[in-house]
């Protein structure tokens, strides 16, 4: 997709964590192959933005078996995208994928940037606003475009009372448009055909579909 868009004249930028260990493993490694695909498609290296944080550098897998580690990885990546990459690139459109980027559509909306959020599955994380800010993401600018487990009265209520932010629901809620793996999946979730889908995810996907934004 990235290569095709670039070859059609779009100025495409890609942001991904700098998995140093994985990038220098066997060339058959998934992440290494993905990085090489961007370069072989003609995308200049200046258009590939590797988020720097020690939490990425020595990993040998994208996800951790420790559920406490995955939110840290996601927060570190989003901090770099929000604080640095988006400010330097100044994008006209932002495309995000799944709960690991769930905060980015909210800051994009706040800054007047349209966003597309791709929902690959219904997994999410629920992280308190105070914890999000403690890693260096200032949510005061966009807290009102996030989806909370319990609606807060205001920013200080959300922060001081540790009200969790639902990352996947936030991405769906704040994005201008969403897409899923198939129209069937979209309708199955929106119509409540699976009782394992969280109500917040179902409601937000249905709202986007009914608004013609999915």
């Amino acid at each position: 997709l990235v290569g095709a868009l670039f070859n059609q004249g779009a100025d495409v930028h890609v942001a991904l964590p700098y998995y140093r260990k994985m990038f220098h493993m066997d060339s058959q490694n998934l992440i290494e192959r993905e990085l090489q695909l961007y370069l072989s498609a003609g995308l200049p290296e200046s258009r590939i933005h590797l988020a720097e944080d020690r939490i990425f550098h020595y990993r040998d897998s994208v996800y951790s078996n420790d559920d406490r580690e995955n939110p840290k990885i996601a927060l570190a990546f989003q901090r770099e995208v929000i604080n640095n990459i988006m400010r330097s690139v100044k994008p006209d459109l932002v495309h995000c994928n799944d709960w690991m980027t769930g905060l980015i559509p909210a800051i994009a909306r706040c800054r007047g940037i349209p966003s597309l959020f791709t929902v690959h599955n219904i997994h999410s994380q629920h992280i308190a606003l105070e914890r999000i800010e403690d890693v260096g993401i200032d949510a005061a600018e966009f807290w009102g475009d996030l989806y909370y487990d319990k609606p807060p009265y205001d920013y200080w209520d959300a922060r001081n009372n540790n009200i969790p932010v639902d990352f996947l629901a936030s991405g769906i809620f704040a994005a201008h448009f969403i897409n899923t793996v198939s129209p069937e999946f979209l309708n199955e979730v929106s119509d409540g055909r699976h009782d394992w889908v969280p109500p917040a995810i179902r409601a937000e996907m249905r709202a986007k579909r009914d608004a013609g934004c999915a």
Side-chain angles (χ1 to χ4, degrees):
L1 175 61
V2 169
L5 288 170
F6 180 76
N7 289 330
Q8 290 179 26
D11 186 12
V12 183
H13 293 248
V14 177
L16 67 163
Y18 189 8
Y19 293 111
R20 286 184 183 175
K21 183 176 178 181
M22 284 189 276
F23 286 163
H24 295 94
M25 280 181 165
D26 185 339
S27 62
Q28 294 303 307
N29 182 271
L30 172 65
I31 304 299
E32 172 71 18
R33 282 188 288 131
E34 182 171 336
L35 188 62
Q36 290 304 318
L37 273 176
Y38 297 144
L39 296 173
S40 63
L43 195 67
E45 287 195 45
S46 63
R47 296 300 186 269
I48 301 174
H49 305 271
L50 300 177
E52 292 272 8
D53 192 282
R54 190 183 185 283
I55 199 169
F56 310 131
H57 294 172
Y58 305 103
R59 302 194 56 77
D60 54 13
S61 63
V62 174
Y63 295 107
S64 170
N65 292 325
D66 184 347
D67 287 341
R68 296 169 298 180
E69 188 80 359
N70 290 322
K72 294 179 183 178
I73 297 169
L75 287 172
F77 176 63
Q78 292 178 96
R79 177 182 61 214
E80 179 68 12
V81 171
I82 291 170
N83 292 349
N84 297 315
I85 296 174
M86 284 182 67
R87 292 188 185 280
S88 64
V89 172
K90 297 181 174 61
D92 300 307
L93 172 69
V94 176
H95 178 206
C96 301
N97 292 276
D98 260 343
W99 72 264
M100 298 80 71
T101 60
L103 302 176
I104 297 173
I107 187 65
R109 179 176 286 275
C110 183
R111 294 176 182 174
I113 305 169
S115 63
L116 168 66
F117 188 78
T118 296
V119 181
H120 296 277
N121 57 62
I122 54 86
H123 300 300
S124 187
Q125 290 283 341
H126 302 252
I127 303 173
L129 187 65
E130 182 180 33
R131 181 180 173 192
I132 293 169
E133 294 204 314
D134 284 350
V135 302
I137 299 173
D138 185 359
E141 181 182 358
F142 60 91
W143 75 273
D145 289 310
L146 299 174
Y147 191 102
Y148 299 85
D149 287 357
K150 182 185 74 173
Y153 294 111
D154 54 24
Y155 164 74
W156 292 108
D157 180 38
R159 176 173 170 78
N160 294 338
N161 292 314
N162 293 322
I163 300 178
V165 175
D166 183 326
F167 271 46
L168 184 62
S170 289
I172 299 169
F173 171 65
H176 292 79
F177 294 89
I178 68 165
N179 65 333
T180 66
V181 294
S182 70
E184 290 78 13
F185 180 72
L186 172 66
N187 289 325
E188 287 173 7
V189 172
S190 300
D191 294 339
R193 296 183 213 169
H194 304 296
D195 56 10
W196 40 263
V197 176
I201 305 304
R202 182 184 305 122
E204 291 308 312
M205 287 182 67
R206 183 172 60 242
K208 279 292 191 291
R209 181 195 65 176
D210 294 349
C213 296

